[in-house]
Amino acid sequence: MSTAARKTGVHRARTETKSAEYVLGTDTDESVRLGLQHRLWSAAAHEIWETAGLQPGMTALDLGCGPGYATLDMAQIVGPRGRVIGVDESATFLKQLNDQAKARRLENVDRVLGDVQKLEEAMPRSDASIDLAYARWVFCFLPHPEYVIRGLRRLLKPGGRLAVQDYFNYEAMTIAPKNAAFSKVIAAVGKSWRARGGDPDIMGRLPAMLAAAGFRIEHLQARQRLARPGSTLWHWPESFFSNYVPRLAESGFITEGDRDEFTALWKSTSEDPNAFIMLPAVYDLVAVRP
Ligand SMILES: C[S@@+](CC[C@H](N)C(=O)[O-])C[C@H]1O[C@@H](n2cnc3c(N)ncnc32)[C@H](O)[C@@H]1O
């Protein structure tokens, strides 16, 4: 075990033994989608890390890290004297993180396979060892976000920070010109996340939840972006819809007719230079552990 791993009590994940899957899946398409998503949102990620004070030498957690696109960037920032621990319930994603860390010769990346709502089980010997925990697009999928906060109260050092990027009012996402087939799919996306205990409005509840656990909210802001056909950002909703709309039809949240109507709409809108999408706003929150 490395010195830093000894310090934090974190072992390398045994990624072959167990795998869970979140609502969007863990196949190659989803991994590629997450890669594009990270590319398009990496400046925003860097900004929140800066705001939350991520520095060389720190120990950081990436909660629900997925294939680890953000984890690897954070590892470059904390450098060889620091450490980043990626936690995810997907063994498939953690294996990709491991492969990438090796390919980039980053030796300061650890992986923990587990449920972020059960951090006491996943990281039992790591009390007060973390300087910064980052969670991007994870809280919106969790039935018990309060359990994550409870776990972080234990894991974060006094004065340590939690940085979150997530949604509020997700279903406000709108295509212009407005279209009923689009609105139906967006409503079904929200319904499908809620059906599994998630909350596409999570950022509306997090500040109060964190305050109740004794955290101080240091920073809150919203990022509202607009995508036009032909822009790189257009491919963010495109890659999401091409993965998720078929899943919505398979699981009965929309009909096959709704799916076909949406597909035709998407195709024609993608060719319309006058169309645009108001994307779901992404909210930044930084909270300090007392
Ligand atoms: C939308 S992806 C975001 C991945 C990464 N945070 C990013 O921004 O690129 C959500 C991730 O959260 C993970 N996840 C969902 N619920 C989880 C849970 N209860 N415990 C651990 N990981 C979870 C999924 O496996 C997936 O990797």
Side-chain angles (χ1 to χ4, degrees):
M1 210 192 306
S2 69
T3 316
R6 250 195 306 278
K7 236 177 11 193
T8 58
V10 169
H11 299 264
R12 302 256 166 196
R14 296 224 316 278
T15 53
E16 304 79 21
T17 49
K18 177 192 152 217
S19 191
E21 200 174 79
Y22 87 118
V23 67
L24 285 140
T26 58
D27 57 15
T28 306
D29 283 355
E30 176 59 3
S31 180
V32 169
R33 186 191 77 79
L34 290 172
L36 171 69
Q37 177 171 261
H38 178 65
R39 167 59 47 221
L40 293 165
W41 287 92
S42 61
H46 193 86
E47 266 182 40
I48 197 171
W49 298 333
E50 199 84 85
T51 303
L54 187 66
Q55 291 286 326
M58 281 188 167
T59 300
L61 261 188
D62 187 5
L63 294 167
C65 61
Y69 298 105
T71 323
L72 296 164
D73 287 2
M74 292 168 85
Q76 288 175 320
I77 296 169
V78 299
R81 290 185 295 110
R83 193 132 214 104
V84 181
I85 304 153
V87 187
D88 206 282
E89 64 181 1
S90 163
T92 310
F93 281 163
L94 287 184
K95 183 175 181 320
Q96 289 180 37
L97 168 60
N98 188 42
D99 292 347
Q100 280 300 315
K102 273 191 182 148
R104 297 189 197 187
R105 300 180 182 217
L106 287 167
E107 292 179 358
N108 58 349
V109 178
D110 277 319
R111 295 154 291 124
V112 169
L113 179 65
D115 185 341
V116 295
Q117 299 161 115
K118 296 179 183 164
L119 288 168
E120 60 289 348
E121 281 174 26
M123 301 177 67
R125 293 186 304 284
S126 309
D127 290 25
S129 62
I130 305 296
D131 296 291
L132 186 143
Y134 176 59
R136 182 176 63 180
W137 293 308
V138 180
F139 274 103
C140 61
F141 297 114
L142 302 177
H144 295 294
E146 68 281 10
Y147 294 174
V148 184
I149 294 167
R150 188 182 64 194
L152 288 175
R153 234 205 104 114
R154 185 178 62 79
L155 291 177
L156 285 169
K157 296 176 182 173
R161 283 169 171 78
L162 167 65
V164 184
Q165 295 188 305
D166 220 313
Y167 294 126
F168 171 64
N169 209 14
Y170 178 92
E171 287 118 318
M173 179 175 182
T174 316
I175 202 159
K178 282 192 171 180
N179 182 289
F182 185 85
S183 305
K184 197 182 257 185
V185 162
I186 297 304
V189 172
K191 214 170 159 190
S192 70
W193 292 2
R194 287 194 177 90
R196 293 179 56 146
D199 181 4
D201 288 329
I202 183 63
M203 204 48 118
R205 295 195 288 134
L206 268 186
M209 227 182 263
L210 282 158
F215 283 75
R216 181 169 54 81
I217 308 304
E218 192 174 56
H219 177 82
L220 255 183
Q221 80 172 85
R223 299 173 184 274
Q224 178 67 70
R225 298 174 77 179
L226 174 154
R228 297 182 65 194
S231 67
T232 319
L233 192 54
W234 186 259
H235 297 288
W236 184 44
E238 179 157 276
S239 60
F240 173 76
F241 291 132
S242 71
N243 174 335
Y244 203 54
V245 170
R247 284 173 182 262
L248 285 174
E250 279 158 25
S251 48
F253 285 99
I254 54 173
T255 64
E256 290 184 1
D258 296 333
R259 179 199 59 201
D260 295 345
E261 207 180 330
F262 180 88
T263 305
L265 165 74
W266 189 260
K267 188 171 181 307
S268 62
T269 308
S270 297
E271 290 159 5
D272 177 358
N274 302 314
F276 64 90
I277 288 189
M278 285 310 288
L279 295 165
V282 176
Y283 289 72
D284 289 11
L285 176 155
V286 177
V288 189
R289 184 210 186 281

